[in-house]
Amino acid sequence: MTELHTMTVAELAAALRSRQVSSVELARSFLARIERHQADLNAFISITAEAALEQAGKADERLRGGDAGALTGVPIAHKDIFCTAGEKTTCGSRMLANFVSPYDATVVERLRAAGVVMLGKTNMDEFAMGSSNETSYFGPVRNPWDPLRVPGGSSGGSAAAVAARLAPAATATDTGGSIRQPAALCGVTGIKPTYGRVSRYGMVAFASSLDQGGLITQSAQDAALLLAAMAGFDERDSTSVELPVPDYAAGLEQPLKGLKIGLLKEFFDRGLDDEIERHIRAALDVLRAQGAVLKEVSLPNLPLSVPTYYVVAPAECSSNLARFDGVRYGYRCEKPRDLLDLYQRSRGEGFGAEVKRRIMTGTYVLSAGYYDAFYLKAQRVRQLISNDFEHAFHEVDVVIGPTTPTAAFELGAKTSDPVTMYLNDIYTIGANLAGLPAMSVPCGFVQGLPVGMQIIGAHFGEERLLNVAHRYQCETDWHRRAPPGFVA
Ligand code: GLN
């Protein structure tokens, strides 16, 4: 049998069903890899070995008893933003460094019910604020393709873990690109579903109108299998949408003949690395050869997405993070003098610099006298960007472009200049502002570092996205390449 850690979720699920391997064996093998590479990658915040082996044991019983589902016994990792009963959920922050949630997030609960085994909780930017995984209280994650470089953020731990084959797949979240961007920089597949497709219950809130849970996997096929298990209406999340969840795996093979692909003029205009552009164009040729047709589309308001996002997201974060006051849960300072001192020192010591910057920006744009000039205006521009996308989807089925402006950069290269850091999100933020589903799939290498192609779809068009990504992956093998040193 092929080495276990190089296998996809689909392959592992088949091996489990045919009893070639047990869930306990699988869990042990991945846990050993996680332990071995923790010091060099720092991809995990917690390794939940005991729980993993217990869940794997139960999965083996189900497999033996013939009562297993499609994913029973498959191990995965969860981003440390999803609450997990009985295990720490830190969200990459000192504020929650010792927090143990009394309940599971809906995503965790559903995957657990499907028999999926949790290996551990992955490292991330503090409260998911960042593009390089350098704002984590637990230290940066390193990119398995080059340990001197960032893995992308904020789901950097999930992306590095899947790229290094420490876990076959991992959950992740995307507020402005945090699934797609690290997926691109680590050479793995990422999907951010439509806003409302996956429940946010138990997912620590950053910017509630933008946050969406999703996945980082080795392939579109794996994303289809896992998404089907975690998506769907949840009465505990008032923004989750009551629509049936399609059988994503069943739609993967659909032919691409006649598929209309939009090329976003604004994505290819300027600032895009020549080499990345060359890879995207080569990928488009692969899709064209299967009968897809290309059409240029323009979203005139898209260039405003970064400034719009960096008003809306901090505004929502300043409100969401007000709950961390040292009183109810989370970090509390030593020996507070009085209530004000308790608030000030607990928040001052519990949050890192980037989180404080966002809270201050957000509080400012929401304050009397500035609300109209900043927050209200940003909301209006957000609507214009949404309208642009809506018009584009009258003409095309999906839109394709780059995921990131460059391949992975060196650790520390952008930490002193927040605006340069924010510009990494230029291609990903639009989909969040408009609530659209979007994916990143590996499409080549620039100087030995992976780069991604982004596919954006219409609302609830995940099935189509997965289909396009899968057909592309049937013709290419970029997604099967693993970083040297991590595969035998
Ligand atoms: N890089 C963006 C930010 O820092 C997006 C993060 C995310 O998607 N969680 O806000």
Side-chain angles (χ1 to χ4, degrees), residues 67-92:
D67 129 56
L71 294 167
T72 305
V74 171
I76 73 164
H78 284 303
K79 181 175 181 178
D80 206 17
I81 196 169
F82 289 101
C83 287
T84 42
E87 301 289 347
K88 276 190 214 166
T89 298
T90 71
C91 217

Side-chain angles (χ1 to χ4, degrees), residues 79 81 124-132 135 153-155 173-182 192 206-207 210-212 309-310 313-314 354 358 421-422 424-425 428-429 432:
K79 181 175 181 178
I81 196 169
M124 56 180 283
D125 277 304
E126 184 176 9
F127 284 100
M129 298 171 198
S131 310
S132 63
T135 73
S154 65
S155 314
T173 61
D174 193 311
T175 304
S178 282
I179 291 177
R180 292 159 284 159
Q181 193 226 43
K192 171 202 112 62
F206 160 12
L210 299 156
D211 298 342
Q212 186 60 200
Y309 171 90
Y310 279 98
E354 182 59 29
R358 307 278 179 117
M421 188 68 94
Y422 297 168
N424 289 307
D425 307 335
T428 49
I429 277 174
N432 300 79

Side-chain angles (χ1 to χ4, degrees), residues 76-326:
I76 73 164
H78 284 303
K79 181 175 181 178
D80 206 17
I81 196 169
F82 289 101
C83 287
T84 42
E87 301 289 347
K88 276 190 214 166
T89 298
T90 71
C91 217
S93 183
R94 182 181 196 191
M95 185 56 89
L96 290 174
N98 291 312
F99 174 64
V100 178
S101 164
Y103 59 87
D104 276 335
T106 298
V107 160
V108 172
E109 186 184 270
R110 289 192 178 172
L111 289 169
R112 195 196 293 269
V116 170
V117 171
M118 168 172 74
L119 295 167
K121 310 281 302 279
T122 58
N123 201 346
M124 56 180 283
D125 277 304
E126 184 176 9
F127 284 100
M129 298 171 198
S131 310
S132 63
N133 219 123
E134 291 169 293
T135 73
S136 170
Y137 173 63
F138 300 91
V141 174
R142 292 173 180 276
N143 190 318
W145 292 92
D146 177 353
L148 296 179
R149 292 175 188 269
V150 303
S154 65
S155 314
S158 289
V162 177
R165 311 302 193 243
L166 309 185
T171 53
T173 61
D174 193 311
T175 304
S178 282
I179 291 177
R180 292 159 284 159
Q181 193 226 43
L185 301 192
C186 290
V188 288
T189 302
I191 181 164
K192 171 202 112 62
T194 309
Y195 182 77
R197 177 82 284 188
V198 169
S199 170
R200 288 184 295 109
Y201 179 79
M203 203 174 101
V204 180
F206 160 12
S208 309
S209 77
L210 299 156
D211 298 342
Q212 186 60 200
L215 290 156
I216 291 185
T217 56
Q218 288 178 49
S219 69
Q221 184 185 28
D222 285 1
L225 292 171
L226 287 160
L227 185 61
M230 67 194 239
F233 176 67
D234 176 11
E235 61 182 13
R236 293 171 299 185
D237 170 5
S238 60
T239 59
S240 83
V241 176
E242 207 159 355
L243 273 180
V245 179
D247 180 352
Y248 295 118
L252 289 173
E253 301 295 339
Q254 238 173 289
L256 299 189
K257 187 151 177 43
L259 174 83
K260 291 196 247 55
I261 299 179
L263 296 192
L264 272 187
K265 185 171 164 308
E266 289 71 18
F267 274 13
F268 288 93
D269 257 4
R270 63 199 142 92
L272 176 60
D273 177 280
D274 287 346
E275 284 286 288
I276 295 189
E277 174 160 359
R278 195 169 59 74
H279 285 301
I280 307 282
R281 299 224 180 251
L284 289 165
D285 287 342
V286 172
L287 299 173
R288 256 211 325 226
Q290 296 187 48
V293 288
L294 307 186
K295 184 172 170 144
E296 188 172 274
V297 288
S298 171
L299 271 64
N301 294 294
L302 197 63
L304 299 172
S305 59
V306 173
T308 304
Y309 171 90
Y310 279 98
V311 170
V312 174
E316 293 186 18
C317 121
S318 72
S319 163
N320 271 327
L321 271 57
R323 73 190 70 179
F324 300 106
D325 55 6

Side-chain angles (χ1 to χ4, degrees), residues 400-455:
I400 287 186
T403 307
T404 58
T406 62
F409 45 90
E410 283 179 9
L411 284 153
K414 300 188 183 183
T415 38
S416 58
D417 182 359
V419 175
T420 311
M421 188 68 94
Y422 297 168
L423 286 170
N424 289 307
D425 307 335
I426 191 153
Y427 301 122
T428 49
I429 277 174
N432 300 79
L433 290 171
L436 299 167
M439 286 188 77
S440 179
V441 292
C443 71
F445 290 85
V446 172
Q447 287 166 4
L449 299 168
V451 291
M453 158 168 77
Q454 188 182 195
I455 316 172

